């Protein structure tokens, strides 16, 4: 059936897919226009095979039905869909690769709150399993501006709760267990017997799935296959509104986990994941592990896990992520790449075999096993390291800092600002960048200042305007960029970093250690004065 439609404004994918209020996605033709644009901009769906699933948030079930019927009407050969319409982002990436599918459609607004009043999102991944490139998302957006019609099969709803094969309009649908293939992949990378022995020896863990998609994955892998005590996984059932939780694994939103990990009878290890399962937060008994530090520890210790015994080809981190991983890479004699924010920029490096591990300061880490960041993977690599080293998280962190020095790091988010105010802050600092080198602020000399541009070493494409950075002579730095995932106003992210080589000064309070950089940021960018905010909304 061909349905006439008209272009809808603003269907521009951001850092990770198109995210809007759930009600916007539910409005007439909104989802249909975007999905048809994806098919059109990628050469049509005729004869193609796709993977489809989402994080289970409100509207996931309806969207799955619409997309299946549209794929059928567009002539797709087959769609592999997770049972109940569920697939974590890393599991979807794996299924695309495993089945040599032509692409995948993932329904999620990731760490954004869900529910009727919350957010919904959709993203398209290519045959490599990774997020569409900037060029492709531009082409999809361009198509949304000219679309005149979409195709949809006039068929009854598909039974997505029943595992097995079905046909609609000549297209095959296979409903698969969302967890099974992913769990097998993890078993191949990590020393499950060793981790199982650690749990059998009394190792205690708490995994908070925050009522989002990782619950079934964590339960199967941690409790069933690795023998963690029943109840290790909490909030383990995916709910359409995430049980009212905000599935953003950071100390602010995962405060219940933080409280328990800092209590007297804290478990040995704590972790949380986000809506679609690609993020992770890691906490030891009495110690929080900053994501940039976590990446550095994973790079330094990955060889302890069977999947990485041969060593790493190289590492990559997003520009605002601290340089802690670079120090490890230098010690290992491997390349360290610096990319713009967002997993799509790691794809070429991974495909070309230039890097094995990647990470971002925003609670994302992953490797070449898939083409997305992977929350449970990071947790399992930590568990493998803990099982091998037989030290606590605290001991591992302290010895890491003694060896490499410590990159104190924090991100300050100013959320839901009026767009023009946020743009004013950015424009103000951008205009001053050229004159900053040599200036002294808070007793620190500015060594360089620029608007980060990235030239992809594999395909030569250049991405500009990826964040304003001011670097001081002692290596401290501040970075300012606008979020590309929010759905309300604009969010300014201020990233702060200061390196201390040690041996003294390695156990300072993070915000105190960063105080001069925080003051310098206010002097240079004037975020508080221009926004009228007393301070950031979220500090990670
Ligand atoms: C944020 C993070 C970025 C991450 C992106 C998607 O983007 O900062 O590092 O890649 O979210 O992650 P932004 O543009 O808001 O800063 V997820 O787990 O939300 O798909
Ligand atoms: Co996510």
């Amino acid at each position: 059936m061909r349905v006439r439609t008209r272009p809808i404004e603003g269907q521009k994918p951001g850092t990770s897919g198109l995210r809007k209020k759930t009600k916007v996605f539910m409005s007439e033709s909104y989802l249909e226009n975007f999905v048809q644009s994806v098919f059109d901009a990628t050469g049509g769906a005729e004869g193609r095979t796709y993977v489809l699933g989402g994080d289970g948030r409100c509207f996931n079930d309806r969207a799955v039905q619409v997309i299946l019927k549209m794929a059928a009407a567009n002539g797709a050969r087959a769609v592999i869909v997770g049972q109940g319409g569920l697939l974590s982002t890393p599991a979807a990436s794996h299924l695309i690769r495993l089945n040599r599918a032509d692409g995948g459609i993932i329904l999620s607004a990731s760490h954004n709150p869900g529910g009727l009043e919350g957010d919904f999102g959709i993203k398209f991944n290519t045959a490599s399993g990774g997020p569409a490139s900037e060029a492709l998302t531009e082409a999809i957006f361009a198509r949304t501006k000219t679309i005149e019609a979409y195709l949809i099969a006039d068929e009854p709803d598909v039974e997505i709760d029943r595992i097995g094969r079905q046909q609609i309009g000549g297209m095959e649908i296979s409903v698969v267990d969302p967890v099974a293939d992913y769990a097998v992949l993890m078993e191949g990378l990590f020393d499950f017997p060793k981790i199982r022995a650690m749990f059998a020896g009394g190792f205690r863990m708490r995994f908070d799935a925050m009522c989002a998609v990782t619950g079934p994955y964590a339960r199967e892998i941690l409790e069933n296959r690795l023998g963690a005590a029943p109840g290790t996984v909490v909030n383990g059932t995916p709910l359409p509104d995430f049980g009212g939780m905000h599935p953003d694994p950071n100390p602010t939103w995962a405060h219940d986990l933080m409280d328990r990990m800092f209590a007297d009878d804290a478990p040995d290890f704590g972790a949380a994941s986000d809506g679609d399962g690609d993020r992770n937060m890691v906490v030891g008994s009495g110690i929080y592990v900053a994501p940039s530090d976590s990446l550095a520890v994973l790079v330094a210790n990955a060889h302890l896990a069977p999947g990485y015994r041969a060593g790493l080809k190289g590492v990559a981190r997003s520009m605002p992520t601290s340089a802690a991983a670079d120090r490890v890479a230098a010690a290992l004699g491997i390349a360290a790449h610096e990319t713009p924010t967002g997993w799509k920029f790691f794809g070429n490096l991974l495909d070309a075999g230039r890097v094995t591990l990647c990470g971002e300061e925003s609670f994302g880490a992953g490797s070449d096993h898939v083409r997305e960041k992977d929350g449970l993977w990071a947790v399992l690599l930590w568990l493998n390291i803990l099982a091998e080293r037989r030290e606590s998280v605290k001991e591992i962190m302290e010895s890491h800092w003694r060896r490499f020095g410590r990159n104190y790091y924090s991100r300050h988010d100013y959320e839901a600002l009026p767009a023009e105010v946020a743009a004013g802050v950015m424009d103000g600092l951008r205009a001053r960048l050229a004159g900053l080198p040599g200036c002294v602020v808070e007793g620190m000399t500015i060594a360089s200042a620029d608007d980060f541009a990235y030239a992809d070493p594999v395909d030569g494409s250049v991405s500009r305007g990826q964040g304003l950075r001011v670097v001081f002579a002692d290596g401290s730095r501040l970075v300012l960029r606008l979020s590309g995932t929010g759905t309300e106003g604009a969010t300014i992210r201020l990233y702060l970093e200061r390196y201390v080589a040690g041996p003294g000064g390695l156990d300072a309070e993070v915000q105190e250690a960063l105080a001069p950089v925080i003051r310098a940021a206010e002097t240079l960018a004037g975020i508080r004065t221009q926004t009228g905010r007393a301070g950031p909304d979220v500090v990670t």
Side-chain angles (χ1 to χ4, degrees), residues 163-176:
I163 288 181
R165 289 171 198 272
Q166 313 165 40
Q167 294 266 335
I168 56 163
M171 182 182 85
E172 182 181 280
I173 296 173
S174 26
V175 178
V176 300

Side-chain angles (χ1 to χ4, degrees), residues 15 19 110-111 278-279 360 362 373 481 483-485 493:
T15 313
R19 295 186 193 180
S110 193
H111 62 287
D278 56 359
R279 295 187 181 204
E360 294 190 277
S362 53
K373 54 187 186 265
R481 60 178 281 282
S483 159
T485 57
R493 304 205 194 285

Side-chain angles (χ1 to χ4, degrees), residues 218-242:
R219 235 182 231 143
E220 172 61 22
I221 294 172
L222 298 174
E223 296 186 8
N224 298 349
R225 300 196 186 201
L226 291 170
T232 294
V233 177
V234 298
N235 298 314
T237 304
L239 299 173
D241 65 348
F242 303 131

